[in-house]
């Protein structure tokens, strides 16, 4: 379920950013570009979450 919600929000936010940026620079909005970037961002977010340790660091 965690992966679904991560993908869901990443998909919405990345497509929103893609739309706004493409509008600002005057190019055509492509849904496929936003979807591809959302998949890549989701994988990176989940990978980073796995790399961060959960245990506190003992000095």
């Amino acid at each position: 379920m965690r992966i679904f919600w991560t993908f869901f929000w990443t998909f919405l936010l990345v497509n929103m950013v893609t739309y706004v940026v493409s509008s600002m620079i005057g190019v055509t909005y492509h849904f496929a570009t936003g979807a591809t970037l959302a998949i890549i961002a989701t994988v990176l977010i989940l990978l980073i979450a796995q790399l961060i340790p959960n245990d506190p660091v003992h000095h």
Side-chain angles (χ1 to χ4, degrees):
M1 198 65 178
R2 177 179 61 103
I3 293 172
F4 170 76
W5 287 114
T6 303
F7 176 71
F8 176 77
W9 286 110
T10 304
F11 186 80
L12 288 179
L13 293 172
V14 167
N15 272 293
M16 179 187 66
V17 168
T18 305
Y19 177 77
V20 170
V21 170
S22 66
S23 177
M24 289 174 62
I25 62 176
V27 298
T28 307
Y29 168 70
H30 294 287
F31 179 78
T33 303
T36 304
L37 290 174
I39 292 169
I40 293 169
T42 301
V43 170
L44 288 175
I45 289 169
L46 293 172
L47 182 67
I48 290 170
Q50 290 297 318
L51 293 176
I52 296 174
N54 289 334
D55 300 329
V57 177
H58 299 289
H59 294 283

